[in-house]
Amino acid sequence: MDELAHGTRNKRGDWDPKNPADIAPIWHWPPQPIRVLKWIPSYFLPYDILFIASAFIWWHFVLPDVEVMKTLAWGWILKLFVINTVALFAFFGVFELRLYVLRGQGTRFKYNGKWPSENKSDVFWFKSQNVDSILRILFNAMPVWTAIEVAILCCFANGYVPWLSFADHPVYLIALLLMMPIIHETHFYLIHRLIHIPFMYKYVHSVHHNSVNPSPYSSLAMHPVELLLYLGMAFWHLIIPSNPILALYQLHRAGFGAIPGHVGFDKMEVGANGGIDTHAYIHYLHHKHFEVNYGDGLIPFDKWFGTFHDGSKEGQALMDARYAKKVARLNTERSINS
C-alpha cells in the first residue's frame, strides 16, 4: 500500500494519518445515521469477536469443573497461569513477529519512524524496551491476571455472587454483553486519570509510559498496582449480576485487548493493496503527549473534559494552550507560596 495516500511522513520519519482521530460517531451532532451504520460493526470487530470467542473457549476447554474451582488448589491455578501466558505471548507475538521482528511492511504506516530495539535506555531493564516488556508481562501481568481470574471464578463457583444463566436470562445477559465495551471504556478512563495524579504517575504509571514508542509487548508492561486497577475491571461482574463467561470476556478484553493501542502502526498490510485498521492512533497520541486521550473515544470523556487530541495541528494548538495555562497556574501558585 502507498502510505502517502493515507497520511504524511515528517522529517523525523514519523507518520500521521490524513484523517484526524475521532470519537465514536454516535456522539456527533447533528446526527449522522449513515456514518453510524457504517461504524456499528467496528463496535465488536475486529477484536471483540476474538475475545468473546476466547472466553467461551476458556470456559469449555481450559477451566476445570465448577466443583474444582470452589477450592483454591495449585494444580488448576498453575495450569491456568501457563495457558494464559502462552496464549498472551502467542497473540501479542503475531503482531510482534509480523511488524517488528520480520518487519514485514517496513515502517509503512508506523507512527514513530524509529524501532524500539534500536533505542537503548536506562529506564528499561537490561536497557531494552522489549526485554523489559517481556519480563514485566511474565512476572507482573500474568500473575495478576491469573489471580483476578481465579478470584472471580472461585466467587461464582461458591455462590458468593449471583450467577445468571443464559437460558433463564437471555435478554439481560445479551444486553450486558453489548454494554461491556462501555464498561471497559468508563473503567479505563477513570483509573487512567487516577494513575496520572503526580504521586501515582511517579511510582506506578511511569513504568508503562517509559515506552514512548510503544510496540506490542508494551501493551501490558505495567507496574503491578496499575495491572490490578486495569485488569480489575473484571471485578465489576462480582457487583453486577452476571455470568462467569461474561466476566472472562471482560478480563480478556482488557488483557488481550491492550494490544490495539500499542501496536505502533495505523494499518497492518494484507496483500498488495489491502490493510486492516489497528485503531491505535488515539492511544498512541497518549503515549506521545502523556496528558491527552485518557480514553479511547467510545465515550467522549476527553472531549467533555478538554483533553482530547486528534493528531491535527488544531489539536496540537489546543493542547499547547492548555499546557501554557497549566504552567502559568503553577507559576502563580509557586509565587504565592514563596
Side-chain angles (χ1 to χ4, degrees), residues 260-273:
H262 303 88
V263 72
F265 285 75
D266 196 67
K267 297 180 188 297
M268 285 187 66
E269 294 179 344
V270 179
N273 299 306

Side-chain angles (χ1 to χ4, degrees), residues 7 56 69 74 96 115 178 198 203 213 224 228 276 284 293:
F56 277 93
M69 291 190 290
W74 283 112
E96 182 74 27
W115 297 100
L178 292 173
Y203 294 104
N213 182 10
L228 184 60
I276 299 172
Y284 167 76
N293 298 356

